[in-house]
Amino acid sequence: MEQIAQLKEYLLTVHPVRRTGAQKADFRKWLVRELKRAGWKAGEETYGRFNGSVNVVAGDPDRADVILCAHYDTPARMLVQDFVSPTNVLAHVLYHVAAAMALAAAAFALALAVSFPLNRPDLMLPLFLILALAALWVSAYGPANRNNANGSTSGVLALLAAAYAAGYNKRVCLVFLDNNERNLLGSSAFKRAHPGKAAQTLFVNLDCVGDGENLLLIPSKASRWDGELLEALEEAFPEKDGCRLLTKGLQYYPSDNRRFKFHVTVCACRYLAGLGYYIPHLRTKKDTVLEEGNIACIARGIERFLELYLGGVGQMGSAEVRE
């Protein structure tokens, strides 16, 4: 726990925002050094100027049977709070539709307030379109959100803690992904760079794990058919530790896991009766909670999971088992 506390303090004070090229480069230099201290050989993968992503990779992704990942970039400050409810897809969709309509209504009202006094109805439509596009641009590329404890930093901290807890394993690869906040460009680039492994290897994505008393493990539809995987997850992440393995019903988690067929997403959620599980304060100044207990629980769970799952898979490798 002491090491987790030290890493947390460093991340939140020295690298709280990782949005510009310079901020990301400084963070990656520190991250590579930290991974080497944990016993991992790490380096950067770049994917060209058009994509613009730089992922940090520890281990050999082309030999790995399990790839652990988290994104390290931080977002812009949204005009309205982001909302994620992994188990209530309807609420998730309705919220984002309502948020988009609210922004459109605000743009319409502002366009009307300008064009009506001028008696220029011809200005109404172009001004509305300009304002609506500006609102979307600000949400994606506007000023950086200054507080990113849960939304971006918690996954990085959890993956680093797991790197120390589990130690180097040639059958495991760690990937710190770039540009999650820009339409998952980092994970898309990684998938194109390693197409065979990305299509068959198990990915465990750690995202938003710092704020919430419930640790959810959400396998993809393809992963739900892997009995050895589910058994290892249940044993490694027991319910007595506040962990919930979700294998039934419809779940949706909007992160890098969407780029990989075989994946398990780990996130922390609060619970509200009538709504279900949800993640609070994303992309707002209130994103300041990063529970060290959650990180320690995940690090222990990952260590146990790798021992159980890789032992069960044996020498054949996960891709051959799935085939």
Side-chain angles (χ1 to χ4, degrees), residues 10 20 38 55 80 109 129 137 164 168 231 243 253 262 302 321:
Y10 186 88
T20 67
N55 295 334
V80 294
L129 293 175
W137 185 90
Y164 273 103
Y168 172 73
E231 184 178 345
C243 304
Y253 194 85
F262 297 99
I302 290 293
V321 168

Side-chain angles (χ1 to χ4, degrees), residues 29-312:
K29 289 178 182 178
W30 170 81
L31 178 61
V32 168
R33 292 196 300 268
E34 198 64 39
L35 287 167
K36 289 181 179 178
R37 290 191 189 98
W40 295 78
K41 182 179 180 181
E44 297 181 356
E45 279 193 0
T46 59
Y47 307 97
R49 185 171 298 178
F50 179 76
N51 182 280
S53 298
V54 182
N55 295 334
V56 175
V57 179
D60 186 350
D62 295 319
R63 296 173 59 191
D65 293 323
V66 177
I67 296 178
L68 309 176
C69 62
H71 76 90
Y72 69 84
D73 60 310
T74 58
R77 175 79 176 273
M78 291 188 70
L79 297 177
V80 294
Q81 178 177 318
D82 197 5
F83 172 77
V84 175
S85 179
T87 58
N88 193 332
V89 179
L90 179 61
H92 178 91
V93 172
L94 289 178
Y95 176 87
H96 286 86
V97 170
M101 292 178 64
L103 289 176
F108 179 84
L110 187 55
L112 182 63
V114 172
S115 60
F116 183 77
L118 296 176
N119 196 24
R120 292 288 305 274
D122 56 306
L123 288 178
M124 184 68 189
L125 180 59
L127 188 56
F128 166 72
L129 293 175
I130 290 171
L131 291 171
L133 291 174
L136 292 175
W137 185 90
V138 169
S139 295
Y141 303 103
N145 195 42
R146 308 305 300 179
N147 297 328
N148 307 286
N150 183 41
S152 300
T153 302
S154 65
V156 171
L157 180 58
L159 190 49
L160 266 176
Y164 273 103
Y168 172 73
N169 187 329
K170 66 180 181 181
R171 299 174 65 189
V172 179
C173 178
L174 314 178
V175 184
F176 294 80
L177 296 162
D178 192 8
N179 283 334
N180 168 278
E181 304 294 344
R182 295 187 176 181
N183 199 30
L184 310 181
L185 285 177
S187 51
S188 297
F190 184 85
K191 181 178 180 179
R192 287 194 296 270
H194 308 277
K197 298 300 290 185
Q200 297 177 325
T201 305
L202 173 67
F203 286 75
V204 180
N205 182 42
L206 308 177
D207 191 25
C208 298
V209 295
D211 187 359
E213 63 277 10
N214 301 284
L215 285 176
L216 304 186
L217 293 92
I218 310 174
S220 63
K221 290 183 179 179
S223 297
R224 290 184 188 185
W225 295 95
D226 189 334
E228 289 185 354
L229 168 63
L230 300 184
E231 184 178 345
L233 288 171
E234 286 183 334
E235 188 169 344
F237 295 90
E239 288 194 8
K240 66 181 180 65
D241 290 343
C243 304
R244 306 285 185 271
L245 177 61
L246 305 180
T247 58
K248 297 180 181 179
L250 178 63
Q251 289 97 34
Y252 175 73
Y253 194 85
S255 187
D256 295 292
N257 50 280
R258 294 167 54 194
R259 292 292 181 259
F260 308 110
K261 182 178 181 180
F262 297 99
H263 70 255
V264 176
T265 297
V266 182
C267 64
C269 290
R270 300 184 188 182
Y271 184 84
L272 181 64
L275 173 64
Y277 296 108
Y278 72 100
I279 302 174
H281 308 314
L282 294 178
R283 293 191 174 192
T284 72
K285 63 181 181 181
K286 295 181 180 180
D287 185 3
T288 59
V289 178
L290 205 175
E291 294 289 348
E292 296 170 19
N294 284 10
I295 305 304
C297 180
I298 290 170
R300 292 192 303 268
I302 290 293
E303 180 183 11
R304 290 193 298 261
F305 169 73
L306 292 175
E307 293 175 355
L308 293 165
Y309 183 65
L310 293 179

